Amino acid sequence: MILITGGAGFIGNHICVELLNEGYDIAVIDNLSNSRKESLARVEEITGGTITFYENDLLDRSALEEIFSKHTIEAVIHMAGLKSVNDSVSLPLTYYKNNLTATFVLLEVMTEFNVKTIIFSSSATVYGKPAFNPITEDFPVSAINPYGRTKLMIEEVLADLWNADSEWSISILRYFNPIGAHPSGKIGESPNGTPNNLMPYVAKVALGQYEKLTVYGDDYPTVDGTGVRDYIHVTDLALGHVKALDKAMQGSGHEIYNLGTGEGYSVLQLVRAFESASGRSVPYEVTGRREGDVASCYANPSKAEEKLGWKAEKSITDMCEDTWRWRSHNPYGYASGK
Ligand code: WQD
């Protein structure tokens, strides 16, 4: 059985779909602080599979030990964690407790039950302000906010764990910018409150839930002055996890992979792509730059291609069309009417 922590979240849901499609037996632990149980029912609907679900917090050690004693867990995909850059600046202790302490409890319980295969959800944010693009895994790392520091610290804890005990099989996946939704339109991103990220905000403008998009700066040294990012379809990202899991389960090791497409798109290019995919206009207003933003950030994904046999296949049009299908069928995400 594979345990997915945070499996009720946006990316976690899509990983569950692809694991079930691959024939894995899966369990999810999620405290539902930023996700909904309904999403797991939809994953079961899409795949015809079954998910064993535990509504628990990773900080609850006894609950976690009970899961490990009830099931033969072969590996863990660790997605659970808070992920808002803005919130992490105002609530650092909450972020350190939820992201770091929870991971320490998980790793201790895994050790207690001799489960030593983990796929960790990291982020391109660990590259800080990259000196140039495309980015390879050997680039210098640095964190410029508490959220990024939690990701970097966990990566270092995992490296130290591997150095201390080479029986571990550790795969660290650095996500670039995951967007899109399952082509069925049944699951997708459903952020609580006002989205910090570009795509969910653009979708709300297209739906008429917001008046306009604020474009944070158009004076960057990029194709049109707006920020460039490596947007990757969430299904491609999920398939990258399945490949990483398959490989990690074949033997011990410690590897880091960029999961990106290798292509960068600007804010305005994404807005245009979304307008043509949705047939809706997305009015916007350009303001000053957002604190902490970089001009460009996109991956060199060749290591994952070579070592995992994985390559992102979906286009920016797929990402926009799938997002629109999900949002237009579920204008309030999983929360009906809100
Ligand atoms: C993308 C571009 C903005 C919103 C963050 C986290 C990263 C990861 C992904 C968790 C930038 C511009 C955005 C808006 C805008 N999260 N933008 N108006 O900042 O690349 O990465 O999310 O792992 O860790 O740092 O993504 O979607 O916030 O911004 O103009 O309302 O869109 O300036 O150029 P980002 P983003």
Side-chain angles (χ1 to χ4, degrees), residues 11 82-85 121-126 145 147-148 151 175-179 195-202 213-217 220 226-231 265-267 270 285 289-290 292-295 297:
I11 299 169
L82 299 173
K83 64 157 199 120
S84 161
V85 170
S121 160
S122 190
S123 166
T125 203
V126 302
N145 54 65
Y147 161 74
K151 290 297 183 185
Y175 306 168
F176 281 71
N177 289 64
I179 61 170
N196 294 312
N197 296 136
L198 179 63
M199 181 57 114
Y201 202 102
V202 165
L213 169 72
T214 303
V215 175
Y216 297 132
Y220 287 105
T226 62
V228 170
R229 297 290 184 273
D230 184 334
Y231 297 99
Y265 282 89
S266 74
V267 174
L270 189 76
E285 180 194 5
R289 297 179 175 187
R290 180 172 66 177
D293 272 352
V294 297
C297 176

Side-chain angles (χ1 to χ4, degrees), residues 189-212:
E189 193 164 10
S190 176
N192 291 338
T194 307
N196 294 312
N197 296 136
L198 179 63
M199 181 57 114
Y201 202 102
V202 165
K204 279 182 170 279
V205 173
L207 281 165
Q209 292 174 357
Y210 289 155
E211 185 202 340
K212 63 178 182 304

